[in-house]
Amino acid sequence: MTTTSPNPMSTRTAAGAVFLLFVTNGMLIGGVGGSLPALRDRLDIEAAGLSLLLFCLASSAVVSMQIGGRLADRIGARPVALVTLTLLALGVGTLSITSSLPWAIVAMVLAGLGNGAMDVAMNSLGVEVEQARPKPIMSRFHAFWSVGNLTAAGTIVLIARAFDKTGAANVGPALGTLCVVGLISIAVCVRIVPHGRRIEHTEDGVRTAIPRLAWALGLMAFCFGLAEGTAVDWSSVHVTDVAEIDPSTGALGLVAVSGFMVVIRLLGDRAVARVGRRTVVRVGAVTAIGGYLFTVLAHPLPLLLIGWSLVGLGVGLVAPQVYAVAGHVGGGRMLAIVVTFGYAAFLVGPALIGQLVEHFGIQHAMILPLTLSACLVAVSAVLPRDEEDRQNR
């Protein structure tokens, strides 16, 4: 794997640009997840309808990330990130004004096409910044994604309550606000996001094979993808239904998940520097198991929020480490594969969770992400040993 960098970038400026990409992406995707309970009421659909919308979001993302990963290596991640951020913002804007399921599907497809390739592009830029630094930084990038997620959830709660106590008919203003903020962010990103490096996967003129580690990391991505995706997409619905509260208050479930993901990701880089990525992932998986136990067994709102907070703490540690290893080893091409496995979980997960909710109830449905969190503990053996991880940095 050879790399070229036609426009060397200031590490500080590049890091600031990547932080902005992550926070904007998290804000727009968080707006989609936090609005699901209200959209369910507005569109008059059940769990199966929500599963369909999330399926459209994830399937379109899987398509775009395969193209985006290769383009990021070939032409640099900047144009990929900017174009797809625009698509994502337009998808959220469309969702803010729709009142029918077909148009909601169109909005989800637009958002998915933008989010998939943008995810690969911004992580590629993040890995490049980390490679130029003496210490890890990927967890902090993902912390800003969670900041955006938390901002979106808070925006939905505040604006919904300002317009209507139920929030069922007034999710549009909140999503519209997030879309406008996203468009403003695009204008800023055009000025500061660097081109990044172009990566050629060749050796002596022959195209190199994708490292086998990609498939093991992909399995990990599937496990944490479903566990994290369930938290982001279903926490609001779960809290609303189990605690029997109004949808705008139910969005506090996503607030809890996102808030504690921010906390742990701000601290994650220090933990990686001390004990290595493998130990960090294992601790995170065990914490997520404890959180999902609360979601399966508890009913009062305070206990449910404790459970989702633990889930946020746990899953927040995992994704940055897996993506960092993939990017360091194989660039955007390998990142696209690993991220695809994570999105495959978003693709299959909503349908599985929706069916489990229909047949067994939403609390019993949480047993699935609990089980996959347990699988992460075993699969984390593919990550570098703690000593090797520290030496590589």
Side-chain angles (χ1 to χ4, degrees), residues 9-361:
M9 52 183 172
S10 161
T11 301
R12 179 174 297 180
T13 301
V18 176
F19 279 131
L20 181 58
L21 288 173
F22 270 88
V23 75
T24 305
N25 182 274
M27 178 187 65
L28 294 173
I29 289 299
V32 174
S35 67
L36 287 178
L39 283 172
R40 179 181 59 180
D41 294 344
R42 174 196 276 193
L43 301 176
D44 192 23
I45 57 178
E46 301 297 334
L50 289 180
S51 295
L52 175 61
L53 291 178
L54 293 171
F55 177 89
C56 292
L57 178 73
S59 59
S60 56
V62 167
V63 173
S64 73
M65 69 180 57
Q66 298 309 307
I67 300 171
R70 287 160 175 77
L71 283 176
D73 283 348
R74 183 176 300 176
I75 66 175
R78 171 191 163 90
V80 178
L82 294 178
V83 170
T84 52
L85 175 53
T86 304
L87 280 177
L88 176 55
L90 290 176
V92 173
T94 303
L95 195 64
S96 72
I97 60 176
T98 186
S99 58
S100 67
L101 183 59
W103 277 108
I105 291 173
V106 171
M108 287 294 201
V109 169
L110 278 174
L113 289 174
N115 187 54
M118 183 183 177
D119 200 339
V120 176
M122 67 186 187
N123 274 285
S124 295
L125 286 169
V127 167
E128 182 176 344
V129 171
E130 184 171 84
Q131 289 173 335
R133 292 170 52 89
K135 295 181 180 180
I137 194 174
M138 283 295 286
S139 283
R140 272 171 285 171
F141 286 143
H142 284 257
F144 271 69
W145 184 90
S146 298
V147 167
N149 224 233
L150 180 61
T151 300
T155 299
I156 289 171
V157 171
L158 293 176
I159 293 182
R161 288 189 171 184
F163 281 85
D164 189 296
K165 289 185 177 180
T166 66
N170 292 296
V171 71
L175 290 177
T177 300
L178 294 175
C179 176
V180 171
V181 174
L183 293 175
I184 294 172
S185 178
I186 292 169
V188 177
C189 287
V190 167
R191 298 180 61 87
I192 66 172
V193 172
H195 284 280
R197 295 181 296 191
R198 295 193 292 269
I199 302 176
E200 298 177 5
H201 299 280
T202 59
E203 186 174 336
D204 297 328
V206 179
R207 190 169 181 80
T208 57
I210 296 172
R212 286 182 293 179
L213 178 61
W215 312 111
L217 294 176
L219 178 58
M220 292 189 68
F222 183 87
C223 291
F224 77 69
L226 195 145
E228 182 175 342
T230 298
V232 171
D233 292 332
W234 287 94
S235 57
S236 298
V237 179
H238 176 275
V239 172
T240 299
D241 291 354
V242 175
E244 299 181 348
I245 54 180
D246 64 86
S248 61
T249 303
L252 290 174
L254 181 57
V255 172
V257 170
S258 302
F260 281 89
M261 285 177 72
V262 170
V263 172
I264 200 62
R265 284 176 170 174
L266 288 173
L267 300 175
D269 292 321
R270 294 181 181 179
V272 170
R274 290 190 176 187
V275 301
R277 301 192 193 276
R278 181 189 293 186
T279 300
V280 166
V281 168
R282 285 179 172 171
V283 170
V286 171
T287 305
I289 291 170
Y292 272 116
L293 282 173
F294 273 91
T295 70
V296 172
L297 300 174
H299 287 85
L301 178 61
L303 292 181
L304 293 177
L305 294 180
I306 289 173
W308 285 118
S309 298
L310 288 173
V311 171
L313 283 172
V315 299
L317 283 169
V318 180
Q321 317 318 325
V322 176
Y323 289 162
V325 172
H328 284 302
V329 173
R333 180 181 65 164
M334 186 165 169
L335 257 173
I337 292 173
V338 175
V339 174
T340 296
F341 274 87
Y343 268 86
F346 278 88
L347 183 67
V348 177
L352 288 177
I353 296 294
Q355 290 301 312
L356 290 173
V357 170
E358 290 283 346
H359 291 90
F360 303 104

